[in-house]
């Protein structure tokens, strides 16, 4: 009899004597004299049912799903994002979750930014299994580690070894928010032992994380890269809890550049030589092509006032209209945002903000090279861009000629990698600073 059936089949009153063991809980098997089990007491069926029922109750209590009862497969929202692409991707993720809930096999990994729906899908699978009376453990990773530590307490109803084996062998384990735990050697070792055991045994496991594989314990990352066992589902939906929801942007300043589109970017045919107009049109076409299919990096380089920021914002605005998350931020402001997370009243942690930037679906960094060249600032920018370079994540950068000279050599080396980064030099005069006499009798006006 399976653990799934146990709670529903053992309906006899607690004081009713079992006809097999007569209330003793153990029986002796009718086996030949030379059988290894001859003469040994083994748990009766009623005892095994009781043990399985207790274990299932313990798992339900540890899962703490009573606070997530509304997170079901039927309540998962796939529409309302203003993007057909995002809705279709969410429907695919939901369908995968439905199939897995019915027949869990292998590992399922949901990745994405905060509030995109990873936990909802994982909890929905757990709720479905619990409703069927099937054993599942859903637990946030830091809580799992506390759950294990609690077994060391003198008044713990179970020992550490029993609890550890319970977690390691549960038929379906769901670990929420992998990467948010305190990274002590003990925590890293316990997680590795659990996941390595389940990996070797190919036990069904679900993981949600907003952490990249490069930031994980290399031992865990190598197992999560096994495409034969692990099915990874990235979720790029906006934050459902309100931060940036419906705007296509997490934090940043794209809302200040809503009017910066390709339609409002002119080719300046009335003020430039025809040859420069031709070159500027080429630049516009390249930016439009990138916005249509944002892959790898686009670097817009040129003097002050030539239109780099306008084009970068135009790319971001077009991408956002297609339903893809974009983060547009001026580099000095980005560093201020990161520093602000260290303040006591910060609404987000440093890790949350840093990962938002590092893993943004499309990242636009404006005015690279204008930031304060402190070791901390250089290191943070390098960590962000090095991660995106390795991962090939869509990134648009603008840099002035002066800013280029001030860049850290490590950043320059990534920007000069033409297998990842396409550089577009905008070699036209500045929009600003060139007098345009409209009428000899009127004062000189400058184009802005």
């Amino acid at each position: 009899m399976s653990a799934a059936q146990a709670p529903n089949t053992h309906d006899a009153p607690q004081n009713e004597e079992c006809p097999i063991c007569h209330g003793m809980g153990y029986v002796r098997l009718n086996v030949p004299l030379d059988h290894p089990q001859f003469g040994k007491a083994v748990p009766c069926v009623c005892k095994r049912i009781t043990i399985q029922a207790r274990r299932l109750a313990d798992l339900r209590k540890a899962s703490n799903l009573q606070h997530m009862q509304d997170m079901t497969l039927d309540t998962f929202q796939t529409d309302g994002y203003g993007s057909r692409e995002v809705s279709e991707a969410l429907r695919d993720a939901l369908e995968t979750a439905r199939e897995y809930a019915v027949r869990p096999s292998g590992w399922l990994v949901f990745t994405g930014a905060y509030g995109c729906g990873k936990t909802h899908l994982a909890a929905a699978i757990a709720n479905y299994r619990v409703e069927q009376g099937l054993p599942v453990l859903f637990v946030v990773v830091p809580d799992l580690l506390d759950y294990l530590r609690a077994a060391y307490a003198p008044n713990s109803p179970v020992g550490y070894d029993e609890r550890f084996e319970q977690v390691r062998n549960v038929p379906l384990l769901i670990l929420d928010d992998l990467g948010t735990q305190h990274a002590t050697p003990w925590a890293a070792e316990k997680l590795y032992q659990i996941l390595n055991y389940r990996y070797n045994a190919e036990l069904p496991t679900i993981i949600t994380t907003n952490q990249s594989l490069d930031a994980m314990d290399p031992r865990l990352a190598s197992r999560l890269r096994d495409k034969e066992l692990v099915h990874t589902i990235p979720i790029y939906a906006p934050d459902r809890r309100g931060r940036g929801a419906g705007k296509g942007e997490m934090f940043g300043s794209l809302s200040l550049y809503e009017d910066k589109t390709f339609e409002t970017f002119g080719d300046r045919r009335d003020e430039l030589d025809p040859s420069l107009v031709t070159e500027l049109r080429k630049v516009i076409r390249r930016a439009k092509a990138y916005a249509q299919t944002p892959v790898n990096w686009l670097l817009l380089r040129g003097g002050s006032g030539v239109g780099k920021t306008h084009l970068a914002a135009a790319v971001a605005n077009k991408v956002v209209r297609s339903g893809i998350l974009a983060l547009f931020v001026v580099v000095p402001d980005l560093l201020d945002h990161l520093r602000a997370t260290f303040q006591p009243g910060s609404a987000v942690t440093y890790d949350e903000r840093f990962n938002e930037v590092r893993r943004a679906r499309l990242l636009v960094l404006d005015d690279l090279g204008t930031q304060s060249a402190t070791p901390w600032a250089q290191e943070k920018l390098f960590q962000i861009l090095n991660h995106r370079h390795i991962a090939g994540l869509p990134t648009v950068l603008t840099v002035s000629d002066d800013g280029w000279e001030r860049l850290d050599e490590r950043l320059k080396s990534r920007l000069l990698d033409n297998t990842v980064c396409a550089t577009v030099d905008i070699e036209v005069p500045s929009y600003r600073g060139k007098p345009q006499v409209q009428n000899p009798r009127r004062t000189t006006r400058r184009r802005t």
Side-chain angles (χ1 to χ4, degrees), residues 175-316:
L175 297 181
D176 190 36
D177 270 349
L178 180 65
T180 59
Q181 70 277 359
H182 188 47
T184 64
W186 181 87
E189 191 59 30
K190 295 303 113 181
L191 278 174
Y192 172 72
Q193 288 175 349
I194 291 169
L195 289 175
N196 184 60
Y197 177 87
R198 298 184 67 84
Y199 174 83
N200 290 329
E202 298 186 359
L203 292 173
T205 306
I206 298 174
I207 293 170
T208 78
T209 183
N210 60 18
Q211 197 175 45
S212 69
L213 293 182
D214 294 328
M216 291 184 183
D217 181 334
R219 299 175 299 176
L220 296 184
S222 68
R223 283 144 183 80
L224 294 177
R225 288 190 176 98
D226 183 352
K227 297 188 182 300
E228 292 186 3
L229 179 69
V230 181
H231 183 191
T232 299
I233 301 179
I235 301 178
Y236 296 118
D239 189 338
R240 296 163 182 262
R241 293 187 286 264
R243 191 174 64 228
K247 298 180 181 179
E249 185 181 30
M250 293 162 288
F251 74 96
S253 51
L254 185 57
S255 60
L256 302 177
Y257 296 89
E258 290 180 342
D259 62 329
K260 300 298 187 289
T261 66
F262 290 116
E263 290 73 25
T264 61
F265 190 92
D267 60 11
R268 303 171 64 187
R269 70 185 76 177
D270 59 341
E271 61 176 285
L272 296 178
D273 291 337
S275 61
L276 293 178
V277 172
T278 299
E279 291 303 312
L280 187 55
R281 287 174 177 172
K282 290 180 181 179
V283 170
I284 297 171
R285 283 197 298 271
R286 292 190 67 178
K288 281 184 176 179
Y290 185 87
Q292 189 69 32
T293 310
V295 176
N296 289 329
W297 290 16
L298 177 68
L299 173 64
L300 300 172
R301 184 170 59 182
S304 177
V306 299
K308 304 184 301 297
T309 297
H310 189 139
L311 284 173
V315 170

Side-chain angles (χ1 to χ4, degrees), residues 153-171:
N155 59 348
S156 175
V158 295
Y160 173 82
D161 290 341
E162 181 181 347
R163 181 161 289 180
F164 186 77
E165 287 302 311
Q166 184 185 52
V167 173
R168 196 164 66 162
N169 286 291
V170 64

